[in-house]
């Protein structure tokens, strides 16, 4: 098989934290006096905290100075952190642990590549840190997806070449990041929402190494 390493996004791939991001951003929108729907929230998937705030303010047609923006981002993050403190291993999405164990048992390297600065907190809460050989999160990169930095750093730390890497991503920005980095990509979600992945799967429930071997031999 061409694949020597698998790199996983966190939010929407390993766990569903989009609902917590949504609740926190919705509180900010409520306080500012405008509606923020779950459909609007789709635009924030895979997007960094400050870029998410820019999109939120654009939806609310609100302009604020830099200091206020920083305060709003801090308030959103405090709320978000209070939600993820309560996360448990039961929130790991179906099939993820089995698939990670199958990869490790077969010598495939595993990295996390997430834009989130809260990734380590989540990994601790859901007790999954030990399943990853390398963790690259939002504290280790300066360029947000679709820049490939997060995945390229993962490949370097794992000691593999980009063309030996397969990325699992639920957000278009992440798929574009993997593509920009010269990696293989499997999208997680619905084909109508994602373009430019090699394959799209609904999740890991039916995913296994035999499937990977048949796609990437
Ligand atoms: C992930 C999520 C985004 C989130 C970003 C930053 O990419 O999909 O919705 O904005 O991480 O997360 P953070 O925890 O650093 O605010
Ligand atoms: Mg994601």
């Amino acid at each position: 098989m061409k694949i020597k390493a698998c790199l996983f996004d966190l939010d929407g791939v390993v766990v569903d934290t989009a609902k917590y991001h949504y609740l926190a951003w919705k509180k900010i929108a409520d306080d500012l006096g405008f509606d923020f729907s779950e459909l609007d929230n789709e635009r924030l998937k895979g997007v960094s905290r400050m870029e998410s705030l820019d999109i939120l303010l654009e939806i609310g047609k609100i302009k604020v100075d830099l200091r206020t923006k920083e305060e709003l981002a801090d308030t959103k993050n405090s709320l978000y952190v209070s939600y993820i403190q309560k996360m448990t291993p039961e929130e790991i999405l179906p099939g993820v642990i089995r698939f990670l164990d199958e990869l490790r048992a077969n010598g495939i390297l595993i990295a996390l590549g997430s834009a989130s600065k809260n990734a380590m907190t989540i990994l601790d809460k859901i007790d999954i840190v030990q399943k990853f050989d390398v963790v690259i999160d939002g504290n280790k990169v300066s360029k947000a997806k679709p820049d490939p930095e997060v995945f390229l750093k993962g490949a370097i730390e794992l000691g593999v070449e980009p063309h030996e890497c397969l990325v699992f991503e639920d957000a278009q920005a992440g798929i574009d990041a993997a593509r920009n980095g010269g990696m293989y990509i499997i999208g997680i979600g619905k084909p109508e929402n994602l373009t430019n992945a090699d394959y799209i799967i609904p999740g890991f429930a039916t995913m296994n190494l035999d499937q990977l071997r048949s796609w990437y031999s």
Side-chain angles (χ1 to χ4, degrees):
M1 188 169 65
K2 299 172 192 166
I3 309 297
K4 289 197 182 153
C6 288
L7 291 83
F8 293 79
D9 173 47
L10 176 63
D11 295 310
V13 172
V14 174
V15 278
D16 175 21
T17 43
K19 58 188 177 207
Y20 302 128
H21 282 295
Y22 174 66
L23 286 174
W25 285 126
K26 182 152 172 38
K27 172 81 169 69
I28 300 292
D30 286 347
D31 290 350
L32 291 171
F34 65 91
D35 265 354
F36 177 61
S37 69
E38 285 193 60
L39 189 65
D40 293 329
N41 192 53
E42 288 296 306
R43 290 178 61 192
L44 310 190
K45 285 190 179 169
V47 178
S48 72
R49 195 180 307 164
M50 286 314 272
E51 281 178 67
S52 297
L53 178 59
D54 284 338
I55 296 171
L56 188 87
L57 294 173
E58 181 199 307
I59 291 168
K61 300 189 180 60
I62 285 176
K63 282 203 183 346
V64 296
D65 60 25
L66 191 59
R67 204 169 138 220
T68 311
K69 266 173 76 170
E70 277 163 7
E71 283 167 11
L72 289 171
D74 284 350
T75 307
K76 182 268 171 179
N77 192 53
S78 302
L79 269 170
Y80 179 68
V81 168
S82 73
Y83 297 138
I84 60 175
Q85 290 299 336
K86 295 180 197 124
M87 289 183 79
T88 69
E90 275 157 38
E91 289 181 64
I92 298 170
L93 291 169
V96 169
I97 296 287
R98 179 196 39 75
F99 185 56
L100 292 175
D101 287 344
E102 190 185 17
L103 292 177
R104 178 159 286 171
N106 286 275
I108 310 256
L109 298 168
I110 302 171
L112 188 93
S114 169
S116 173
K117 294 188 167 148
N118 295 301
M120 276 315 281
T121 305
I122 296 169
L123 295 182
D124 276 337
K125 290 286 165 194
I126 62 173
D127 196 18
I128 203 177
V129 185
Q130 71 285 356
K131 305 276 181 198
F132 295 92
D133 298 301
V134 159
V135 172
I136 310 290
D137 66 12
N139 301 299
K140 289 193 179 171
V141 294
S142 54
K143 289 174 244 154
K145 299 171 186 176
D147 190 284
E149 186 185 11
V150 67
F151 296 132
L152 291 177
K153 278 205 168 163
I156 289 169
E157 285 204 18
L158 289 171
V160 292
E161 296 295 324
H163 66 266
E164 297 169 324
C165 293
L166 169 63
V167 170
F168 290 91
E169 255 292 350
D170 71 313
Q172 191 59 50
I175 291 177
D176 296 339
R179 191 60 84 198
N180 290 336
M183 298 179 175
Y184 295 101
I185 313 141
I186 294 184
I188 309 286
K190 295 191 177 135
E192 57 268 33
N193 298 335
L194 302 170
T195 60
N196 226 0
D198 303 328
Y199 302 95
I200 310 264
I201 58 172
F204 293 99
T206 56
M207 192 63 201
N208 57 47
L209 198 55
D210 282 345
Q211 178 67 268
L212 278 197
R213 287 198 179 107
S214 80
W215 282 344
Y216 294 105
S217 55

